[in-house]
Amino acid sequence: MPVPDVSVVVIVYNDAGRLPTAVQSVLGQTYQSVEVLIVDDCSKDRSFQVAKELEAAHPGRVRAFQLPENSGGCGAPRNYGISEALGAYVMFLDSDDVLEKNACRNMIAAAERTDADLVSGMCVRVYVDSRHAKTVEWYPWLYSRSRTIESITELPDLLVFDTLSTNKCYRRSFVLEHNLQFPVGIHYEDLLFSAQAYVAAGRIALIPNHVYFWNISEKASTKSISNRRHEIANFEHRVEIHRRVDELLQANGYEDLKFHKDVKFLKHDLVLHLRDLPLVDHEYRREFRDLADAYLAAVAPDAYDEVQPFQAICAYLLRRNDWANLLPAAQALASPGKLTSSLVERDGRVYWCAEHLDDPEGARILDVTGLGYHTRPLTSFSLGNRLTSYLDNGVGKVRLSGSVVNPLGRVTADAKLAGTLELRARRTSLQSFRFPLTSLAHDGDALKWTAEADIAGTLRPLGVIDAVWDVWVNLEVDGETLRTRVAVGSIDVDSAHALQVRPRLSRLVADRIKPSASKKGNLSYVLAAESRLSARTQNLIQHALQSKAADLTKTSLRKVRKAKKDLHSGRTKIRVYHEVFSKLPVKKGLVVFESHLGKQYSDSPKAIYEEMRRQGVQFKAVWSYAGNQPTGFPDDVTLVKRWSYPYLRALAQAEFWIDNQGFPLKLTKRDETTYIQTWHGSALKRMGFHEPRLKLRSRAGQDDFQRTLDRFDHFLIRSEHDAETLAKGFRLRPEVLTRTGYPRNDKLVAARKREAETGSRERGALAAELGIDEAKTVLLYAPTFRANAQGTVKRFEPPFDVEDFAWRFGDRYTLLIRSHYLNQVVLPPSVQGRVLDVTGLHDITPLLALADGLITDYSSVMFDYSLLDRPMIFFAYDYEEYANETRGTYFDLREKAPGPVVTTESELFAAIDELKATDTEYAEARRRFVAGFGEYDQGDAAQQIVAKFFTSGSGK
């Protein structure tokens, strides 16, 4: 019998039903020189018999073994498989999972090509309980491309995040040489085995291929080891494995890797158990704290700075044994956006609690100023609401009391308060019933409430599809609604009476409703049938629910929901746009305006709209908006929500499209419609087809992008620089370019001319609105868009100390911070009045006119502000990364910047100190800058557009 190239060790325990599928995924590999070693961990079902049957059916390819006694884990059967393996390579497979059909071929090819000891591919989690078998790739950024590393220190994230043993192929001689063994008698054995393999490997290859399908069954009656977190032994084993991995890393001199693993422990391993703390008993909490404290003592203090605020807060409070503040923090951790503490303010900073602030580490970790609880609207997060009492009369009436946190006393004593208790069916919110609160009042740093509800007399469930009802308290505070879920807290609702209800369908289905705690510890009611029903009756009910009639009902409901979902899907809307709305006649005078994808009423579309109004042009204005609450738009326009059917119809029938970024890419513009693209700034960074990422797109992807650009009938530019950069980057036809300048800049040009003529500067109404002292110089900090490594939007943190700025310059300057509209910034209370966040102001033009000086980095706002001939400072602290590692730039900012380019905070503050000198020193540079980048901005762009298209006849 030929020796196989690969031995796949398939371990099984009490899984006879799924074992053949796992084995077949190996036998069906496109790489045929593979053997299967089935190792049964002394199962109590037919698993070993099935294994022997597979061995008999595939002689020479399948071998079956059984351990003499159950080991209780995965380690012992895998170790046995290693000892029996014949192949040059070894892989591992669990009986409830499968290999991708090309897994062996791809991994062996990589091993032979790179001479790697270990090859790792992408694992895919398959949620088999979900309707469409939802899949999630396991840490895909690690496998974005093929790569080979000589040491795990080159890619610490591999050891930190991909701790699986099953998505890997190991050279068997390497395994034997280093005596790699799974630990026995302890769970989470993969963590230690993979760490040992990573550390020992002389070369590791990664491939961007799917190799392993990890089947997740969330509804399984027997939970997997990792999902049995209510068992304290689970956490005990996790901590012990991490301790052994730490010893391994330290023994090999990999202290830096240990730091990365410490961060992951705080971010992931500990968090898995912290979320459950509000739901477990005191004995579990005591044991958990003792285990965690012993391990956390060895975690690097700096690791706390690398995790999310609540991950660090919970770990710190756990070490301090402060359960009063830890449990609310654990609830906030489990429910993002939920605020469960009343908070405290000290010396201009906001903290999670008043305790531990005398400890420098505690003050640093408990500081939640950056989360913006003191500035964000109360409606933007859910206030913690804890049940304080629960009484029922045993029939159908309940009396509930609770306490809602009042962070920093933001609900003031004179606020107008009202509220309701709401029971809402969880399933698609089919029904809801409300009861007025009988009392609502301030109670120290909280709001206490009471409600009485006649559930038996009011609640009318259907009884089949609305089995769970969630409890909410809706607070009305000065006309604003705050919705809060009611947490059970320390109240034992499970022992409360079941209440009789009158279902709309048969009482046999459900005639009682019983209070219960949800998985997150919130109060819910669950429908149930009366227990006195006979077994025969209950069987009849179950049979009825599984009958064809019931299936038909459920199918009909699913079809209705699917039809509703399909009606609002992007695919359906695009089809309706092209097949229905685009067949309607174009309406003369209908103009659709949009700024920054509907997020604002601003920029050049706003300037054109206002000039049309000023000149009395007869037209029908439609503005798009994004989100649920449009703000800042004029009263005399029709507002349509972006991507809604009214929006699509307006676009299909519009005579003109005017926007500064791009209408939905898949909507074809009609020939009768004129598209005026104003764009939103000249280019420093490379754009369009000049961007590296666009060059990497497929030919079809590039063609799709080009078709969206070809919709532009007119593209406004403000200089020949735009013609050479933006226009060529977008591959625009020469006749599309419209050399008018930007309408949004007309006011800036006018302000500069007025200042030159009068010799004085008018700050206007905005300064008074913002409360700016007339004696202070106004600086505007307006950086470009910032994202994280994955390209997602993030909270923007100024790259300099705003508190230090306020202390140094607060008596002379007011600093306005205006982050990119896709970012958000949160300022500490201590800088109030000296540093202002003006990101919420839609239109930046009035801010530019107000500012005496500008601080920016690479934002195109530099080109606009230069029209004012005022000083600018360029804080380019990451210029090399921005210019060379992201998209590249059209010119070197350091050579052409009309102001000092600084890279450190100290240089920035020095430049601010010398702002007046800078004004004079860079005067000539500003003139050159305007001549090179704003030659067509003459202050009449909006007038030119209106004259060309709306008062002298329209045309292409």
Side-chain angles (χ1 to χ4, degrees):
M1 182 180 69
V3 177
D5 291 338
V6 188
S7 297
V8 179
V9 179
V10 181
I11 63 170
V12 61
Y13 177 69
N14 288 352
D15 198 19
R18 292 180 292 191
L19 177 60
T21 302
V23 171
Q24 186 55 47
S25 76
V26 183
L27 298 176
Q29 288 288 300
T30 54
Y31 191 90
Q32 286 294 296
S33 183
V34 181
E35 70 163 349
V36 182
L37 283 72
I38 305 174
V39 183
D40 174 61
D41 197 10
C42 198
S43 295
K44 297 177 182 178
D45 69 350
R46 294 189 66 257
S47 293
F48 186 58
Q49 290 94 312
V50 171
K52 295 298 288 183
E53 291 168 4
L54 290 167
E55 181 182 52
H58 304 280
R61 296 204 66 194
V62 177
R63 292 187 284 152
F65 307 90
Q66 185 178 47
L67 300 187
E69 59 182 8
N70 179 251
S71 68
C74 302
R78 285 178 181 161
N79 290 338
Y80 190 90
I82 292 173
S83 68
E84 293 291 335
L86 300 176
Y89 297 93
V90 178
M91 296 170 60
F92 303 103
L93 173 64
D94 293 346
S95 61
D96 53 347
D97 302 328
V98 294
L99 293 181
E100 196 276 334
K101 65 179 181 179
N102 297 300
C104 291
R105 176 180 298 280
N106 290 330
M107 298 179 98
I108 299 302
E112 296 297 315
R113 183 175 65 253
T114 63
D115 196 31
D117 294 321
L118 163 62
V119 178
S120 190
M122 195 185 302
C123 171
V124 180
R125 290 164 64 102
V126 180
Y127 292 83
V128 295
D129 296 333
S130 64
R131 184 172 298 171
H132 303 293
K134 181 184 76 172
T135 61
V136 177
E137 293 179 335
W138 186 255
Y139 301 114
W141 78 83
L142 293 171
Y143 299 97
S144 60
R145 59 182 174 85
S146 296
R147 63 176 119 179
T148 304
I149 59 176
E150 304 294 329
S151 167
I152 189 60
T153 57
E154 295 179 32
L155 188 60
D157 277 358
L158 189 60
L159 177 140
V160 171
F161 293 101
D162 188 358
T163 57
L164 300 178
S165 65
T166 49
N167 61 332
K168 298 171 177 61
C169 178
Y170 310 83
R171 198 178 295 273
R172 187 164 66 94
S173 59
F174 158 73
V175 173
L176 298 176
E177 177 186 351
H178 294 278
N179 193 30
L180 297 183
Q181 294 276 304
F182 289 89
V184 177
I186 186 169
H187 302 319
Y188 303 107
E189 54 279 299
D190 270 24
L191 273 71
L192 182 57
F193 183 86
S194 61
Q196 292 171 334
Y198 286 143
V199 169
R203 184 172 294 161
I204 302 170
L206 306 182
I207 59 174
N209 307 88
H210 292 170
V211 298
Y212 193 91
F213 294 110
W214 177 4
N215 292 325
I216 309 293
S217 181
E218 296 182 322
K219 299 178 183 177
S221 56
T222 302
K223 294 292 185 182
S224 66
I225 292 168
S226 59
N227 286 328
R228 298 203 297 267
R229 293 190 295 273
H230 61 283
E231 300 173 6
I232 194 64
N234 185 293
F235 184 62
E236 183 179 11
H237 286 199
R238 186 185 293 271
V239 168
E240 174 59 21
I241 284 291
H242 274 273
R243 188 188 62 76
R244 295 187 193 183
V245 173
D246 291 344
E247 290 179 351
L248 170 72
L249 298 177
Q250 289 173 333
N252 287 273
Y254 290 157
E255 284 78 9
D256 288 345
L257 287 181
K258 181 186 178 302
F259 174 79
H260 289 285
K261 197 188 71 62
D262 284 348
V263 171
K264 194 246 187 177
F265 182 83
L266 294 178
K267 291 176 67 172
H268 175 73
D269 298 88
L270 186 63
V271 166
L272 288 175
H273 298 267
L274 287 170
R275 292 194 182 109
D276 296 329
L277 287 184
L279 309 178
V280 297
D281 58 31
H282 293 290
E283 180 61 23
Y284 180 100
R285 291 176 188 170
R286 184 191 63 77
E287 293 186 59
F288 178 79
R289 191 265 171 184
D290 291 344
L291 289 167
D293 184 57
Y295 185 78
L296 289 172
V299 168
D302 291 347
Y304 287 80
D305 297 330
E306 302 297 322
V307 302
Q308 295 297 318
F310 282 111
Q311 296 165 352
I313 288 171
C314 287
Y316 176 81
L317 293 174
L318 184 63
R319 291 216 63 203
R320 299 301 295 259
N321 204 24
D322 183 354
W323 290 94
N325 291 307
L326 169 58
L327 291 179
Q331 289 176 329
L333 181 67
S335 303
K338 192 167 189 175
L339 176 55
T340 51
S341 169
S342 56
L343 308 177
V344 64
E345 185 176 340
R346 294 283 189 274
D347 300 323
R349 308 295 295 178
V350 178
Y351 299 93
W352 181 251
C353 57
E355 292 76 16
H356 319 299
L357 300 185
D358 55 341
D359 173 18
E361 182 185 21
R364 175 173 56 83
I365 292 174
L366 297 171
D367 189 333
V368 293
T369 308
L371 298 180
Y373 292 133
H374 58 295
T375 58
R376 288 165 50 194
L378 287 177
T379 53
S380 68
F381 41 79
S382 174
L383 298 180
N385 189 349
R386 177 176 53 85
L387 197 65
T388 56
S389 72
Y390 182 94
L391 300 171
D392 66 67
N393 64 359
V395 180
K397 293 184 179 181
V398 296
R399 178 183 173 87
L400 299 86
S401 297
S403 178
V404 181
V405 299
N406 182 13
L408 302 172
R410 291 185 59 184
V411 178
T412 58
D414 59 351
K416 185 178 180 181
L417 301 177
T420 57
L421 178 78
E422 179 182 5
L423 271 70
R424 176 176 289 270
R426 180 178 297 176
R427 192 164 183 181
T428 327
S429 300
L430 292 169
Q431 297 187 85
S432 67
F433 299 90
R434 295 192 178 194
F435 308 89
L437 298 183
T438 55
S439 68
L440 175 61
H442 280 78
D443 181 30
D445 56 2
L447 303 171
K448 66 178 182 180
W449 58 269
T450 302
E452 295 180 354
D454 181 6
I455 293 180
T458 307
L459 194 68
R460 296 298 310 279
L462 295 174
V464 178
I465 59 175
D466 53 358
V468 181
W469 294 72
D470 295 319
V471 181
W472 297 77
V473 167
N474 304 310
L475 301 179
E476 295 291 331
V477 180
D478 287 336
E480 287 192 317
T481 300
L482 308 178
R483 285 178 52 78
T484 68
R485 280 296 305 273
V486 179
V488 297
S490 59
I491 304 299
D492 182 15
V493 296
D494 290 324
S495 61
H497 292 98
L499 308 174
Q500 293 181 356
V501 291
R502 294 182 300 144
R504 297 182 187 275
L505 301 180
S506 171
R507 286 178 179 270
L508 295 177
V509 175
D511 61 356
R512 299 174 305 144
I513 193 163
K514 185 168 174 39
S516 176
S518 70
K519 288 183 178 180
K520 291 189 176 182
N522 294 317
L523 178 62
S524 299
Y525 284 92
V526 180
L527 288 172
E530 186 66 63
S531 59
R532 67 172 178 266
L533 293 177
S534 67
R536 181 174 181 274
T537 301
Q538 292 187 30
N539 288 335
L540 286 172
I541 294 171
Q542 291 300 318
H543 177 73
L545 291 175
Q546 297 170 8
S547 67
K548 290 184 178 180
D551 287 343
L552 181 61
T553 302
K554 294 175 184 177
T555 300
S556 298
L557 286 170
R558 282 197 294 267
K559 286 182 177 179
V560 169
R561 286 197 297 269
K562 184 177 185 299
K564 183 178 179 181
K565 181 179 179 181
D566 288 346
L567 181 65
H568 294 283
S569 70
R571 181 180 301 175
T572 300
K573 288 181 175 180
I574 292 170
R575 188 172 69 250
V576 170
Y577 171 85
H578 288 105
E579 296 178 6
V580 179
F581 293 155
S582 292
K583 301 296 190 292
L584 300 174
V586 168
K587 293 184 177 180
K588 289 293 183 180
L590 176 58
V591 185
V592 178
F593 296 87
E594 185 171 285
S595 179
H596 294 303
L597 307 179
K599 293 181 173 66
Q600 300 178 352
Y601 171 64
S602 65
D603 212 76
S604 291
K606 172 187 175 182
I608 295 172
Y609 165 79
E610 292 183 346
E611 180 64 21
M612 292 170 71
R613 284 289 187 232
R614 190 186 68 81
Q615 293 192 30
V617 175
Q618 297 299 307
F619 69 107
K620 169 69 173 178
V622 172
W623 273 86
S624 84
Y625 71 91
N628 296 320
Q629 296 293 333
T631 58
F633 291 89
D635 295 331
D636 60 349
V637 302
T638 298
L639 292 176
V640 292
K641 187 172 183 178
R642 203 170 196 266
W643 269 114
S644 67
Y645 280 108
Y647 171 80
L648 297 174
R649 179 167 181 167
L651 285 175
Q653 293 192 274
E655 184 181 7
F656 289 92
W657 291 0
I658 301 178
D659 91 306
N660 65 352
Q661 196 153 340
F663 287 110
L665 304 183
K666 293 186 180 296
L667 303 183
T668 302
K669 183 186 70 69
R670 299 171 70 174
D671 292 338
E672 304 97 313
T673 301
T674 300
Y675 189 168
I676 303 173
Q677 173 56 255
T678 70
W679 202 240
H680 53 274
S682 297
L684 168 62
K685 56 183 176 287
R686 294 186 177 274
M687 301 293 291
F689 288 96
H690 294 161
E691 292 183 53
R693 64 181 177 86
L694 195 54
K695 293 178 180 179
L696 295 176
R697 277 195 194 179
S698 66
R699 181 62 179 270
Q702 291 187 18
D703 290 345
D704 285 343
F705 183 60
Q706 187 64 60
R707 276 191 289 273
T708 68
L709 299 172
D710 289 343
R711 297 181 301 175
F712 302 160
D713 296 306
H714 302 276
F715 186 88
L716 308 192
I717 63 173
R718 54 198 305 263
S719 68
E720 288 307 303
H721 168 77
D722 291 350
E724 293 299 314
T725 56
L726 284 170
K728 290 187 177 179
F730 292 152
R731 297 178 180 173
L732 301 179
R733 304 181 306 278
E735 61 270 21
V736 169
L737 304 186
T738 305
R739 292 169 167 80
T740 59
Y742 284 167
R744 72 181 186 192
N745 288 337
D746 290 347
K747 290 184 178 180
L748 299 181
V749 175
R752 184 195 66 208
K753 291 180 178 177
R754 188 166 52 249
E755 187 175 335
E757 293 170 357
T758 64
S760 62
R761 183 173 304 166
E762 297 178 6
R763 285 190 166 176
L766 182 57
E769 182 183 327
L770 296 174
I772 295 175
D773 188 335
E774 292 183 2
K776 290 185 179 180
T777 300
V778 178
L779 285 178
L780 174 64
Y781 177 49
T784 192
F785 171 66
R786 296 287 173 171
N788 60 22
Q790 282 73 45
T792 56
V793 177
K794 67 175 182 179
R795 187 176 72 248
F796 174 71
E797 296 183 4
F800 57 89
D801 190 332
V802 292
E803 290 183 294
D804 195 9
F805 174 93
W807 178 78
R808 282 169 169 255
F809 304 110
D811 59 335
R812 293 180 286 154
Y813 292 94
T814 296
L815 178 65
L816 308 179
I817 296 185
R818 213 268 193 178
S819 64
H820 190 278
Y821 71 93
L822 291 176
N823 292 131
Q824 62 175 347
V825 64
V826 176
L827 300 175
S830 57
V831 302
Q832 190 171 6
R834 294 170 291 176
V835 183
L836 307 178
D837 174 21
V838 292
T839 304
L841 297 177
H842 283 189
D843 200 352
I844 196 173
T845 301
L847 291 170
L848 296 177
L850 171 62
D852 299 303
L854 174 72
I855 304 170
T856 187
D857 44 15
Y858 324 110
S859 171
S860 64
V861 74
M862 70 176 77
F863 301 105
D864 305 308
Y865 192 77
S866 66
L867 297 171
L868 291 164
D869 193 25
R870 298 176 191 171
M872 288 187 275
I873 300 172
F874 297 84
F875 189 22
Y877 57 92
D878 58 350
Y879 185 76
E880 292 298 333
E881 176 185 352
Y882 184 87
N884 300 320
E885 296 181 18
T886 53
R887 292 160 63 166
T889 60
Y890 286 116
F891 61 89
D892 191 334
L893 178 65
R894 295 167 297 190
E895 295 178 359
K896 295 190 176 184
V901 179
V902 297
T903 58
T904 66
E905 181 181 285
S906 60
E907 291 177 352
L908 172 64
F909 288 170
I912 294 172
D913 257 332
E914 300 171 358
L915 191 65
K916 288 186 178 180
T918 298
D919 190 8
T920 304
E921 181 182 350
Y922 285 89
E924 181 57 35
R926 288 197 299 274
R927 281 191 285 273
R928 290 197 302 269
F929 199 76
V930 171
F933 299 107
E935 59 187 297
Y936 302 132
D937 277 322
Q938 299 300 315
D940 60 352
Q943 293 178 22
Q944 289 190 59
I945 296 298
V946 173
K948 181 173 183 177
F949 298 105
F950 300 105
T951 60
S952 301
S954 63
K956 298 281 185 179

